[in-house]
Amino acid sequence: MQAIWQELIRLGERGEPAALCTIVKTQGSTPGKQAMKMLVRADGSILGTVGGGCLEAEVLEAALEAMRDDRPTTLAFALNERDYPDSGLVCGGRLEIYVEPIVEPRLFIFGGGHVAEALTRIATLVGFHVTVADDRPAFASPERHPEAAATLAGPWDAAVEAALDAGPGGLAQRYLVVATRGHQDDEDILRGLADGLAGGSGEAPRYLGMIGSRAKRVTIFKNLAAAGVPEAFLDTVRTPMGLDIGARTHEEIAVSVVAELIQLR
C-alpha cells in the first residue's frame, strides 16, 4: 500500500494524471478484498491489484476514461459464469470498486496583462496548474505572477508549441486562454493553435477561449477563415469567453472565465 501512496506523490510532483481504484464493498466470495487498491497511470500501467483477470481489465478501462473526463465512477461486478462466460469465474460473489481520477487541470494563458494576473490568482485557488506566457519578459515573470506554477517569456510560436505539448495527460485536461495585448497577437496565436492541432494527434484541448467582444470575434474569425483555418476549429473557440455575469473589471472577467472552466470541468 505504501508504494501506491509514494507513486501518487511522484506523479503529482510531475503533474501526471492517475486514477485510484478501491474495492469499497464485497459480498460473498471474491478474489479481491475490501480496501484493496490499484493505481492506474495515464499510460495504462498499474500498481497494485483489485483481484486480477477480466474484472481488472474492465477497471483499467474505466480508470482511463475517468482520467479523460475527470469524473469518478463506481463499478459493480457480479462474479459468475453468466456475466463472464469466458472467464472461468465461479466464486459467485459481488463487489463494488470506486474509481477516483486524480487529475490536476492545466490552464495556459497567452498574455500576462491585468486579466491574466486576476485569472491566475483565482484559477490557482480552485486547483488549476497555471502557466502564463508573454512575448515580453516583464509580463511573464514569477514576480508579476507569483501564484503561477510556471511562466514562459518568448515568441508566441514557442508559447503555442508549449501549450500543445500537454505531456502524459494529453490535451484532455488542458485549458487555453488567449488574452494578449492586441488583436493581431490573438489572431496569430489562434492560427498557430489551429496549425498545431491539425498536425497533431487529433486530440483537442478541453477549453479554448479568447477574450474580446463579438465584433472582435467577427473580424478575427473572418481573417482566419480567409487564411484557411478550418471552420471546425473556429467553432471550438469560446469568445466572448466566460459566463455572462455582466463582468466589467479585470477581476470580474476572471471570475466569469474561471466559473466557465469549473462548469466545463
Side-chain angles (χ1 to χ4, degrees):
M1 188 74 72
Q2 184 178 2
I4 289 179
W5 303 131
Q6 289 173 339
E7 181 65 359
L8 270 174
I9 292 172
R10 187 189 74 84
L11 293 172
E13 290 173 343
R14 292 166 57 93
E16 298 182 19
L20 186 62
C21 310
T22 305
I23 299 178
V24 293
K25 184 178 180 181
T26 62
Q27 180 181 350
S29 177
T30 60
K33 304 306 176 185
Q34 193 162 332
M36 286 178 61
K37 301 180 187 295
M38 179 176 78
L39 179 65
V40 180
R41 304 179 186 89
D43 63 1
S45 60
I46 65 173
L47 181 63
T49 183
V50 287
C54 55
L55 176 151
E56 199 156 278
E58 285 194 35
V59 176
L60 171 61
E61 289 302 315
L64 293 173
E65 183 176 353
M67 279 184 262
R68 288 190 293 268
D69 297 342
D70 195 16
R71 291 186 178 185
T73 186
T74 300
L75 307 174
F77 297 92
L79 306 180
N80 53 58
E81 287 187 305
R82 184 190 65 191
D83 293 336
Y84 296 93
D86 299 323
S87 68
L89 288 170
V90 293
C91 46
R94 297 176 177 271
L95 56 80
E96 293 182 5
I97 298 176
Y98 181 64
V99 180
E100 178 184 9
I102 302 170
V103 178
E104 184 180 40
R106 298 193 161 229
L107 172 61
F108 196 103
I109 307 173
F110 296 92
H114 296 301
V115 170
E117 286 185 80
L119 187 54
T120 298
R121 292 197 302 271
I122 298 171
T124 300
L125 283 173
V126 297
F128 282 82
H129 176 288
V130 182
T131 298
V132 180
D134 202 291
D135 61 347
R136 302 163 294 175
F139 283 78
S141 68
E143 292 75 25
R144 186 176 179 91
H145 304 283
E147 295 91 352
T151 55
L152 178 63
W156 290 125
D157 56 353
V160 168
E161 184 177 352
L164 296 180
D165 181 15
L171 289 171
Q173 294 301 325
R174 180 60 61 95
Y175 300 72
L176 308 181
V177 166
V178 182
T180 73
R181 64 187 180 279
H183 287 30
Q184 188 59 56
D185 286 341
D186 289 351
E187 184 178 320
D188 291 343
I189 289 166
L190 287 180
R191 185 183 294 110
L193 290 171
D195 291 343
L197 290 170
S201 64
E203 187 180 32
R206 186 75 172 269
Y207 178 94
L208 173 56
M210 179 182 70
I211 193 168
S213 64
R214 289 177 175 83
K216 175 183 176 181
R217 171 194 172 101
V218 170
T219 300
I220 288 183
F221 279 25
K222 180 179 179 180
N223 294 340
L224 291 172
V229 172
E231 184 178 351
F233 170 81
L234 297 176
D235 288 343
T236 68
V237 183
R238 298 176 184 234
T239 181
M241 64 181 182
L243 299 185
D244 186 5
I245 60 173
R248 293 293 181 267
T249 68
H250 301 129
E251 290 77 14
E252 289 171 351
I253 292 170
V255 168
S256 74
V257 173
V258 173
E260 187 171 52
L261 301 184
I262 293 170
Q263 184 184 63
L264 179 62
R265 184 184 177 192

